[in-house]
Amino acid sequence: MVNLYVCKLPSKRSYQEIQRLLPNISARVTQKISRYRFLDDAYRTLIGDLLLHRFFYLNTGYDLRKQRIEITNYGKPNIPTFPSFHYNISHSGDWVALATHHYPVGVDIEKVQPLESIVVKNLLSHREYKNMLKHDRPVQAFYEIWTGKESFVKATGKGLSIPLQSFSVTGMRNIQLINTTTEDIVKGYLCERYKDLSRYSLTVCAKQADKKSFNDLTECQFSWLANEL
């Protein structure tokens, strides 16, 4: 099954709380947090790792801090001792999202905000750009397309080494991935769009999944996440 967990940044934030929670996450992420200049960036990364540790334990019964995490040549982490536990993390604005699956999975969340048209055109395929302009809310449509593209390349594990113009995300309800060269449907991956968060676009893409594989979004409270470890 494909699970999606989200957590909102707490309204009250402090460096003291960050320091208190660092022992509960991996050393790799702790080092990453230490380099941030802004408190919100530290919270987003911290929450992503807290989500991962909590739901890895709930799914496997093991402490993730005792597991080895490998980073692929494309920068995607995986847990070699648990090959059937795949995950991906994304954050934007006030929200952090974690997706898990038995097979490769990608998630992307984006806060919907104005964009320059020239930037949008360079990011989308010709088909996607035309479909966006036809939409009654083109800015919203852009983010729905973009999170679909991002979640797919993250699910493949190859990230932006896959040219963004090489495929198109079509459909607002039933998403399809189309190879722009052959016009064939990209097989093996399925994307699901979540509408639960106002003013955000959120899409999950999973390998070897069907519509019934995607569970509803689960919202976690930061207080629970911080106190249960």
Side-chain angles (χ1 to χ4, degrees), residues 210-227:
D210 56 29
K211 278 287 185 181
K212 295 181 180 179
S213 301
F214 292 86
N215 286 327
D216 292 338
L217 174 151
T218 299
E219 182 177 344
C220 308
Q221 298 298 318
F222 177 76
S223 58
W224 171 80
L225 200 62
N227 292 327

Side-chain angles (χ1 to χ4, degrees), residues 4-10 13 39-52 55 88-99 107-111 154 197 200-202 204 217-222 225:
L4 177 62
Y5 311 101
V6 298
C7 181
K8 193 173 186 179
L9 272 65
R13 305 163 200 171
L39 183 59
D40 284 2
D41 291 333
Y43 264 96
R44 292 182 189 105
T45 300
L46 173 72
I47 290 172
D49 215 48
L50 289 174
L51 281 169
L52 175 60
F55 287 103
N88 195 232
I89 298 170
S90 180
H91 50 71
S92 179
D94 290 332
W95 288 96
V96 181
L98 165 73
V107 59
D108 191 53
I109 182 171
E110 299 288 344
K111 185 176 182 178
K154 292 172 77 176
L197 305 181
Y200 284 80
S201 180
L202 177 57
V204 176
L217 174 151
T218 299
E219 182 177 344
C220 308
Q221 298 298 318
F222 177 76
L225 200 62

